[in-house]
Amino acid sequence: MKFNKEQNEAVVHRDGPLLVLAGPGSGKTAVITHRTQKLIQEYQVAPSSILVVTFTKAAARQMRERFLRLTGEKNTAVTFGTFHGIFYGILRHAYGITSKNIASEEEKYGILRELLQKTSMDVDDENDLLEALNREISTVKNGRIPLTHFYSACCPDEEFRRIYEGYEKRLHSRRLLDFDDLMVYCYNLFQKHPEILQAWQKKFRYILIDEFQDVNQLQYDIIRLLALPENNLFLVGDDDQSIYRFRGAKPEIMLHVPRDYPGMKQVVLKQNYRCSGEVVEKSQNLIRWNDTRFEKQLRTENPQGKPLEIRSFENETEETGWLIRQIRKDLEEGCDFREIAVLFRTNVGCRMTVEKLMEYNIPFTMRDVLPNLYEHWLAKNMVSYMRLAMGGRSRKDFLAIMNRPNRYLSREAFYEQEMPFEILYQFYEGKEWMCDRIEKFEHDLKMMKNMTPYGAINYIRHGIGYDEYLKEYADYRRIKVEELYEILQEIQESSKGYNTYQEWFDYMMEYKEKLQEQAEKIRSQQDAITISTLHSVKGLEYDRVYILDVNEGSIPYHKAVLDPEIEEERRMFYVGMTRARKELHLYSVEERFGKKLAPSRFLVELEEAPRRGKKK
């Protein structure tokens, strides 16, 4: 294989630490496999003393296969693995742990669910909260943060600490470790037993790490120990593609490596072999607005290609309609479905596109779980109100919304499976203020009886006071109420055009069935459009890429406020842009749910890079 000057410089590197800054499409995998080959065949390094680390089992397997094809061998003593896999191997040798000692996701969530139910928290979005707790427990472990110094963003601190301690206790009592413990225990093992560390240092004399921008602090600390005393570290990554801050990966770790290894060599792989000249130029303009990065300028010898299509639409319906027409045009021009990707910032944003693709029978596959908006607890609350308004008196529906907003009703009052209001009046007999509340509740349901679903949701939110309840709930749960309002607004919008509750319920049922059918189809489809979030599309490439809703509040996401957060959003958009080989389409909308929206600041930034010292 013919390498360019920078690639060759990396491939022939022998001893000591080297940082390879590998931009999108710069051939980093080839550099890693060829450098490994050179270590063995030219520098006479024993294959068993080489460790190649990447982040997923699939990536490690692909890397190994490429290496075997390159060397023509059927097997190799080189170790290819993930961080978790390597650390598990080390702990297996030290403590004799087996796969039975690793907690499955099911077991982890089972423990957390059990602990959550023992708290005093009023929780609706249990799955969301469990995911947030899981993430925060991970952050505490990976950052080696003392529990007293950690402030939870998803629930009151004392509740988080109680759940964390209970979770650890239960894991230990069952002789289980979670994935993060593999790293925590490995680090502690090396600290307490220098002789064990020394044995592994002798074993792995050359360490190559792919996607280095994704390491967290604990992984980096262990690798630094493992690489001593020779420090034969070959670190390959792109700080501009660091987009997993929520997992503890920060570009700062990569930026500080030269400080940790004075005299460390650096190589920048500047040549982009993937994208058109237009995509390279515009994406470089964009990313140079970030301050926390290594200064570099990528280039390509590929044709300039088509200019970016940057287009604004009146609303989401117009945007989706145009997208479908463009995709049909792509197909007429001979582009395969599999060469088209439609990208969003979050998987909630893709609902309308998914509905349209199903309607037009266009095959698609999803990189993320396809969420059903109508399975959200907010939608279920609206449905409970509507069923009661239609005359239903199910205990389950009453329990779901009796204190939303707070009416101070007790669960004990609802002791029958079917609950006529008479029973409630009897339960609270003599308590006039409570009977007044029940009367108001009954009156509200009567008011809703003949409303359209859209009108009813509006009445529940503003007439009954559900929006106020959400505000209190969001404060308690430490989440932004805007997120809940946005989902509820989406539910309300989707109910437009239905005259009766039953019509809307029927549509929800049909939609659920269609999603299940689609999930079945996705498994068997070879040639299909990719629908993905910006996070999940990293490492992939397509001929034509569409990024939708490039608006303030979406890209960058409204949660991003501080400079490091905005820089991460910019990196995420950069990752999305650089998935495109030939064509890139960036769409924004002017209004959503009746609110005016501004196009993303990133659309302005990609037209012109900042002059040095003149940023922001």
Side-chain angles (χ1 to χ4, degrees):
M1 184 170 175
K2 194 174 182 303
F3 287 117
N4 65 39
K5 179 174 160 285
E6 293 89 6
Q7 286 174 324
N8 196 55
E9 204 179 322
V11 167
V12 300
H13 175 76
R14 182 170 173 170
D15 296 324
L18 177 73
L19 182 62
V20 181
L21 298 170
S26 60
K28 68 183 174 66
T29 307
V31 164
I32 293 169
T33 50
H34 279 78
R35 194 257 175 164
T36 307
Q37 181 192 30
K38 198 166 263 301
L39 284 176
I40 298 164
Q41 293 178 355
E42 281 192 36
Y43 303 147
Q44 308 306 306
V45 172
S48 58
S49 65
I50 300 172
L51 170 63
V52 182
V53 190
T54 188
F55 274 80
T56 64
K57 280 184 186 171
R61 192 173 56 248
Q62 284 164 5
M63 190 80 79
R64 188 175 188 278
E65 283 165 5
R66 278 186 72 162
F67 176 74
L68 291 174
R69 278 201 303 274
L70 177 65
T71 55
E73 291 182 38
K74 284 193 169 57
N75 217 324
T76 181
V78 176
T79 302
F80 289 89
T82 62
F83 278 106
H84 290 110
I86 306 302
F87 299 154
Y88 167 69
I90 291 168
L91 293 176
R92 193 179 61 214
H93 276 274
Y95 299 128
I97 68 163
T98 69
S99 55
K100 286 178 185 163
N101 299 112
I102 310 297
S104 67
E105 287 297 290
E106 214 174 306
E107 285 173 301
K108 272 171 67 176
Y109 278 100
I111 293 170
L112 289 173
R113 189 171 278 113
E114 210 179 292
L115 291 164
L116 195 54
Q117 281 157 2
K118 289 188 175 172
T119 67
S120 58
M121 290 195 287
D122 172 27
V123 177
D124 264 302
D125 46 347
E126 192 183 73
N127 290 341
D128 284 359
L129 181 53
L130 288 172
E131 271 179 43
L133 284 167
N134 189 24
R135 250 198 325 269
E136 292 195 344
I137 288 170
S138 208
T139 301
V140 170
K141 291 185 178 187
N142 288 319
R144 302 209 310 281
I145 303 166
L147 200 50
T148 47
H149 293 180
F150 182 77
Y151 300 99
S152 172
C154 68
C155 64
D157 294 324
E158 64 280 5
E159 294 285 15
F160 176 79
R161 284 168 197 157
R162 206 173 297 136
I163 289 169
Y164 183 95
E165 283 161 356
Y167 172 72
E168 287 292 88
K169 219 181 213 169
R170 277 171 169 74
L171 282 182
H172 293 167
S173 70
R174 297 178 194 181
R175 296 182 62 78
L176 289 174
L177 304 178
D178 65 20
F179 270 122
D180 299 308
D181 287 332
L182 293 176
M183 293 186 282
V184 173
Y185 277 60
C186 199
Y187 181 77
N188 293 341
L189 173 74
F190 285 169
Q191 292 284 17
K192 288 175 193 163
H193 299 281
E195 73 287 358
I196 293 177
L197 171 60
Q198 211 167 17
W200 286 102
Q201 287 169 339
K202 280 179 184 160
K203 158 86 176 137
F204 294 130
R205 290 186 48 234
Y206 288 83
I207 301 173
L208 298 87
I209 300 180
D210 186 22
E211 303 285 8
F212 183 71
Q213 76 279 351
D214 294 338
V215 300
N216 61 40
Q217 193 60 50
L218 187 50
Q219 288 164 338
Y220 179 50
D221 291 345
I222 298 170
I223 286 296
R224 287 195 72 193
L225 289 172
L226 204 50
L228 289 167
E230 294 175 85
N231 291 330
N232 289 325
L233 277 173
F234 190 84
L235 309 175
V236 183
D238 183 6
D239 51 306
D240 290 333
Q241 294 186 72
S242 174
I243 59 171
Y244 295 117
R245 186 172 282 270
F246 64 91
R247 287 188 204 155
K250 299 188 286 257
E252 291 83 350
I253 296 172
M254 194 166 179
L255 288 163
H256 294 156
V257 170
R259 186 192 65 191
D260 296 335
Y261 294 96
M264 180 185 216
K265 281 176 148 185
Q266 280 183 43
V267 172
V268 182
L269 303 185
K270 296 174 186 166
Q271 183 82 4
N272 179 315
Y273 292 96
R274 176 193 301 156
C275 309
S276 69
E278 172 78 356
V279 171
V280 170
E281 184 189 315
K282 294 292 198 283
S283 61
Q284 286 297 292
N285 283 350
L286 171 85
I287 202 61
R288 290 179 74 193
W289 285 89
N290 272 3
D291 285 317
T292 311
R293 66 187 292 266
F294 287 104
E295 189 57 51
K296 51 191 155 331
Q297 184 68 40
L298 305 190
R299 58 173 187 263
T300 186
E301 287 170 13
N302 290 340
Q304 187 63 13
K306 286 188 177 180
L308 269 52
E309 184 197 18
I310 300 175
R311 197 176 277 271
S312 175
F313 300 90
E314 205 174 305
N315 53 40
E316 211 181 352
T317 310
E318 298 283 320
E319 180 187 47
T320 313
W322 179 265
L323 171 72
I324 298 291
R325 289 196 292 278
Q326 286 299 105
I327 287 172
R328 288 174 142 183
K329 198 165 138 242
D330 292 342
L331 299 173
E332 283 164 19
E333 289 171 9
C335 182
D336 291 334
F337 284 122
R338 71 172 74 90
E339 289 302 347
I340 301 168
V342 183
L343 310 181
F344 296 86
R345 173 62 181 82
T346 68
N347 60 358
V348 175
C350 68
R351 183 186 63 85
M352 192 178 277
T353 300
V354 162
E355 280 187 17
K356 279 288 174 215
L357 291 172
M358 289 196 294
E359 192 185 312
Y360 283 91
N361 226 0
I362 294 172
F364 66 91
T365 182
M366 295 201 68
R367 300 278 305 163
D368 308 83
V369 174
L370 182 54
N372 183 350
L373 181 69
Y374 308 117
E375 292 291 317
H376 197 283
W377 63 274
L378 290 170
K380 287 178 177 176
N381 278 188
M382 297 303 108
V383 168
S384 287
Y385 261 113
M386 289 173 190
R387 279 203 290 253
L388 293 170
M390 289 164 79
R393 290 293 176 261
S394 130
R395 177 176 184 265
K396 191 181 166 198
D397 283 330
F398 269 119
L399 291 179
I401 50 93
M402 65 183 189
N403 287 320
R404 291 162 193 186
N406 202 348
R407 299 179 178 93
Y408 301 95
L409 291 166
S410 162
R411 288 180 77 88
E412 288 161 24
F414 297 86
Y415 51 81
E416 298 284 355
Q417 286 309 308
E418 290 295 311
M419 280 293 307
F421 270 94
E422 288 71 29
I423 293 181
L424 279 181
Y425 286 120
Q426 280 165 19
F427 186 88
Y428 285 104
E429 201 174 351
K431 295 182 177 173
E432 212 172 301
W433 71 95
M434 283 307 295
C435 289
D436 287 346
R437 289 173 194 279
I438 295 163
E439 202 176 303
K440 167 82 169 79
F441 191 5
E442 193 177 10
H443 169 75
D444 283 332
L445 294 176
K446 278 178 185 162
M447 288 289 289
M448 284 173 59
K449 190 176 180 190
N450 296 313
M451 289 182 181
T452 64
Y454 184 86
I457 296 175
N458 212 42
Y459 184 73
I460 294 164
R461 294 181 68 179
H462 307 295
I464 296 178
Y466 192 85
D467 274 15
E468 275 307 303
Y469 152 72
L470 285 184
K471 198 169 181 314
E472 287 165 25
Y473 179 80
D475 286 347
Y476 179 72
R477 271 286 322 280
R478 297 188 175 182
I479 53 181
K480 287 188 172 180
V481 72
E482 288 75 27
E483 287 175 46
L484 297 174
Y485 287 163
E486 202 175 296
I487 293 163
L488 191 47
Q489 193 63 52
E490 177 112 21
I491 293 163
Q492 190 173 345
E493 285 294 309
S494 81
S495 72
K496 262 185 183 169
Y498 297 96
N499 295 318
T500 67
Y501 298 139
Q502 196 54 53
E503 276 180 29
W504 194 44
F505 296 167
D506 290 345
Y507 166 73
M508 284 186 213
M509 205 58 219
E510 195 187 314
Y511 182 70
K512 187 180 179 178
E513 284 164 14
K514 269 190 182 173
L515 281 189
Q516 283 164 348
E517 279 170 33
Q518 189 61 40
E520 289 299 316
K521 273 189 199 169
I522 281 173
R523 287 188 201 104
S524 59
Q525 272 163 358
Q526 297 300 309
D527 189 23
I529 288 169
T530 297
I531 305 281
S532 176
T533 59
L534 296 173
H535 269 123
S536 298
V537 83
K538 190 165 163 278
L540 303 174
E541 53 187 77
Y542 305 88
D543 280 350
R544 304 182 189 204
V545 169
Y546 295 85
I547 306 182
L548 270 60
D549 303 333
V550 189
N551 286 88
E552 288 293 312
S554 181
I555 300 174
Y557 199 45
H558 57 76
K559 276 188 186 175
V561 179
L562 307 171
D563 281 349
E565 294 165 341
I566 293 293
E567 292 210 349
E568 174 127 332
E569 293 290 314
R570 194 177 281 113
R571 290 194 294 272
M572 220 178 295
F573 190 47
Y574 174 74
V575 165
M577 289 179 72
T578 53
R579 299 311 94 201
R581 292 191 202 104
K582 296 176 181 172
E583 288 184 25
L584 179 59
H585 307 261
L586 307 174
Y587 297 162
S588 61
V589 292
E590 286 161 24
E591 68 96 31
R592 185 173 163 83
F593 308 144
K595 279 189 197 152
K596 288 279 174 211
L597 291 179
S600 170
R601 68 193 81 175
F602 298 159
L603 293 174
V604 177
E605 294 173 355
L606 58 81
E607 290 304 329
E608 192 181 354
R611 280 172 292 174
R612 285 193 189 184
K614 297 278 181 188
K615 289 187 190 180
K616 302 178 192 73

